[in-house]
Amino acid sequence: MVNLRSAIENTVPITLFNRGQAGKIFEEVRRDGPKVVIKNNAPECILLSPEEYIRLMDEVNDAQLLAIATERMSHFDPDKLLSEEEVYERLGITKEDLADIDVDIE
């Protein structure tokens, strides 16, 4: 169940922006976390810091990558693996062809 006190403290009526209190609201968001902006007694948007937005987007991206990896691993068949030599042969390359290539993997 949602804590009533938390709900009240984390909502901001849009009229406060019209009264020139945006700076104060933004400081509260930086200090205390996200706020829900209320317009006509209904949630209009969520205010959060850029750092929190980036953190959330990173979390969403990580979850999507995990879902893709999990799906791919569900089809993994070790009997279909190719050795390094088989890959080079299929691609028509040698280890020497790759010696001068610099690769960064994240």
Side-chain angles (χ1 to χ4, degrees):
M1 185 161 88
V2 175
N3 180 333
L4 181 59
R5 180 183 177 102
S6 176
I8 292 169
E9 290 174 348
N10 293 316
T11 59
V12 177
I14 199 157
T15 55
L16 292 182
F17 285 93
N18 298 335
R19 294 181 187 156
Q21 295 186 25
K24 177 185 171 203
I25 296 166
F26 296 152
E27 179 56 38
E28 288 177 7
V29 167
R30 278 190 291 278
R31 185 184 64 237
D32 303 326
K35 298 278 187 189
V36 178
V37 178
I38 303 296
K39 179 179 179 183
N40 298 325
N41 296 320
E44 183 68 20
C45 70
I46 308 291
L47 297 175
L48 55 137
S49 70
E51 294 82 10
E52 180 68 4
Y53 177 80
I54 290 168
R55 187 192 68 73
L56 289 171
M57 290 300 100
D58 285 346
E59 199 169 301
V60 167
N61 187 48
D62 289 348
Q64 290 171 335
L65 291 174
L66 178 60
I68 291 168
T70 301
E71 170 63 21
R72 288 178 180 173
M73 289 304 294
S74 71
H75 302 293
F76 174 71
D77 182 357
D79 295 330
K80 293 183 180 179
L81 293 179
L82 299 175
S83 69
E84 181 180 12
E85 290 77 20
E86 290 172 310
V87 172
Y88 289 157
E89 185 177 324
R90 284 186 179 196
L91 296 175
I93 59 175
T94 65
K95 285 186 178 185
E96 292 76 28
D97 294 333
L98 302 177
D100 295 330
I101 296 176
D102 185 30
V103 177
D104 290 328
I105 299 177
E106 293 184 21

